[in-house]
Structures are given as C-alpha cells and as structure tokens.
Amino acid sequence: MSRIAFGTWQLGGDWGSFDEDAAIAAIHHARELGVNFFDTAQAYGFGKSEAMLGKALREELKRDRDALVIATKGGIKPRSERPRDSRREWLAQGIEDSLRFLDVDHIDLYQIHWPDPDAPGEETAGILQEFVDAGKIRHVGVSNYDAAGLAAFDKARPVETLQPPYHLFRRDIETDPLPYARENDIGVLVYSPLGSGLLTGSFTPETTFEKTDWRSRSSAFTGETFRRNLAVVDRLKEFAAGKGISVSQLAIAWTLAQPGVHVAIVGARKAANIEASLAAADIDLTADDLAEIDRLTTDAVPVSGASPEGVA
C-alpha cells in the first residue's frame, strides 16, 4: 500500500462547504500519482463520503478491484442516544450500507471507529470475523483504541490495523497504544498528521471557521491554545524552509519517521494539495532533525479533537 492514504473525512460535511467536482478531481489525481489506499467511514456524512469515493473510483473498482485498498469504519452514531454502538445490528447495517454506498462487493479493511464501552471487545471481534468468513470484509482493524482495548479484541481474533490520531500537537499514543501495536505487529495508519490544518502553515490567529466546520467549536482552534500553537508552527515553518520543504511536508515526514507508524492518512479537497503530501513520504529526517523538531515544539499545547460525543 502507499504510505500516504487519501482520507475522506472532509467530504462528509463536517469541515464546511466544498466543491464536489474539485474533491473528485483530487481523488483522481491522487490515484494518478500512485495512491492506492483510500480511507472513509460510515459516519462521514452517513454515506456521503463513501458514495463520493465510490463514484470517483467506480471505473477502476469495476475494472481492477484488487488494485485498490478501500478502508471504511463503522460502529458509531454521532448525536444519538448511543453515539458508540458496536452491537451486531448496527454493525451489520453499517457494513451493508458501506458496501452499497461504495458500490463494491467487499471491503478491504473494516474498522471499528471508536471503542464501545458497552460492547466487549472480544464480542465485537467475533462479529466482524463472521463478516470476514462471509467474504464481505477481508481485514479487520480498529480506530481510537487504547492498548487494553486492543488486547481485549485480540482474544477473539488478531487486530490487523490501528488508526489513531497523531501529530506534533497530539502525541499521547507514544505511551499508549503505539508500543502495544509495535510489539504485536499491528499496522498503524495515523489520521490527522497535519493537526486538522494546524500544521499546514495556512492559519493566523485571526482565522475563523464556518459554523458547519467542527473546528469552529474546538478549543484547539480558538483563544490562547490556538495562538500558542501557531507560534510553534511559525518556528517549524522556518526550520522546514531551511530544508527546502513546507511545514506540512515536515509534519507528515515527522509522523512517518516514528517507529511503528506505517501510513499517514491525509485528506484533500483540491488536487493541488496532493503532490506535496505524497512527496513528504520520501523525505528522510535525521536523528538531529527529529531532536530539533522536539526542541521547537517543547512549549506546544497538547490538543484533542472530535469524538462521537462532540468536540473538545
């Protein structure tokens, strides 16, 4: 698989308005440049993102299905009475809906989007194994799990992949669960390597977001936290410029340089953003580079993001 995966959270309506034709063009351009791994989810607009991805890739999916790796996620119902729902009925509906929206006969990688505290991990793993046996999904992973959750899941069947949030302002996975993933040979595909835009270098303290953009309700993008982290980004931008790269490329390359990280999921709504992200996978950061990045981010404010329950 390509080390850069094309993420599609931004195509579900949670990031404000966008041009659908431009988004489809971005998917096509990513494919032209060699990206063969695409990640989506049931909760990204409850079918909108999956349908758009399926539409963009339809010709190749029909012609050469195994050339593409399609990953999706299920098991949550944001803004409902039970926002995390890994019960059999909801998982079964989610898988069938995803197959229909994507217009495929199987899903390469199906992931539980968030752990459900009311559904034992071992039981959830067993349910997904039934769909593997039925040929509807090929591989099973989880997202946003800690090591204890991974271990519980592993009791019924191996967790093949883990999808956690990870970037320079959100490094908690370095203590849990990244070590568990390394020790147990779990593929790690991290999301938000650009800090949901914080690490693109395109924001200023005056930047605001549309009401339909989840960042308009996030503490990471307002007030003192936003200002302090943008100051860190300015220092990183200067360091990146000295290496002849952009700060976003530096952030992606840093993520991929971490032991145990295999793939960085990067979203885009315009084709122009794809090439720079892909080039980041070929940037080699030295031990001195990594040490300097740590120094430059010493006073960064740790941030969180969106969850099925809302935005922190």
Side-chain angles (χ1 to χ4, degrees):
M1 299 191 308
S2 48
R3 291 204 77 194
I4 300 294
F6 190 103
T8 62
W9 183 11
Q10 75 282 5
L11 308 184
D14 291 325
W15 295 73
S17 58
F18 66 94
D19 184 306
E20 181 175 331
D21 290 338
I24 289 176
I27 294 171
H28 287 164
H29 193 47
R31 188 69 192 105
E32 291 166 358
L33 294 172
V35 173
N36 66 349
F37 184 23
F38 296 83
D39 180 78
T40 185
Q42 175 191 26
Y44 298 166
F46 285 97
K48 290 181 182 178
S49 175
E50 290 175 321
M52 195 178 301
L53 181 62
K55 177 182 178 181
L57 297 175
R58 184 159 297 142
E59 289 187 15
E60 187 169 8
L61 286 168
K62 299 297 184 186
R63 183 179 68 251
D64 189 5
R65 176 67 183 86
D66 289 341
L68 298 168
V69 179
I70 305 296
T72 191
K73 300 178 285 292
I76 65 171
K77 288 189 287 189
R79 297 174 292 279
S80 71
E81 291 183 3
R82 183 168 175 168
R84 306 182 188 214
D85 191 346
S86 293
R87 290 173 293 185
R88 177 183 297 274
E89 181 180 2
W90 184 242
L91 287 180
Q93 180 180 330
I95 291 169
E96 295 296 342
D97 286 347
S98 292
L99 289 167
R100 177 168 53 87
F101 283 123
L102 288 163
D103 193 19
V104 294
D105 61 3
H106 71 270
I107 295 163
D108 298 293
L109 173 62
Y110 196 83
Q111 305 153 98
I112 300 298
H113 206 150
W114 285 81
D116 179 353
D118 297 319
E122 187 174 353
E123 178 182 307
T124 301
I127 293 170
L128 291 184
Q129 182 60 45
E130 293 175 18
F131 286 97
V132 173
D133 295 339
K136 294 187 176 183
I137 59 180
R138 288 189 172 175
H139 301 278
V140 171
V142 298
S143 182
N144 299 296
Y145 272 52
D146 60 15
L150 294 173
F153 202 97
D154 270 338
K155 291 179 181 178
R157 59 119 46 227
V159 178
E160 296 177 75
T161 63
L162 168 68
Q163 185 178 145
Y166 189 40
H167 55 78
L168 281 162
F169 298 125
R170 192 171 185 179
R171 300 181 60 168
D172 49 315
I173 72 162
E174 292 174 358
T175 54
D176 180 1
L178 191 54
Y180 183 96
R182 287 196 296 259
E183 293 163 8
N184 291 275
D185 196 27
I186 295 172
V188 176
L189 22 146
V190 302
Y191 71 85
S192 295
L194 295 176
S196 301
L198 272 174
L199 287 154
T200 61
S202 59
F203 296 158
T204 71
E206 290 72 42
T207 298
T208 59
F209 303 90
E210 295 180 31
K211 290 183 178 180
T212 53
D213 189 321
W214 70 270
R215 291 172 295 185
S216 68
R217 305 180 300 279
S218 172
S219 61
F221 295 91
T222 57
E224 186 62 20
T225 295
F226 193 38
R227 287 191 292 272
R228 283 182 57 183
N229 283 343
L230 287 180
V232 173
V233 173
D234 286 341
R235 296 198 294 268
L236 291 170
K237 189 185 298 187
E238 184 177 349
F239 177 71
K243 298 182 66 63
I245 60 177
S246 68
V247 67
S248 60
Q249 289 176 317
L250 181 74
I252 295 170
W254 175 87
T255 302
L256 290 173
Q258 306 309 307
V261 173
H262 303 93
V263 172
I265 302 173
V266 182
R269 291 187 281 194
K270 296 179 181 179
N273 299 333
I274 300 297
E275 295 183 19
S277 295
L278 288 178
D282 296 322
I283 296 171
D284 291 321
L285 297 177
T286 67
D288 287 343
D289 290 333
L290 295 173
E292 179 62 10
I293 291 169
D294 281 343
R295 188 188 69 79
L296 292 172
T297 57
T298 299
D299 61 347
V301 182
V303 301
S304 57
S307 73
E309 292 76 27
V311 179

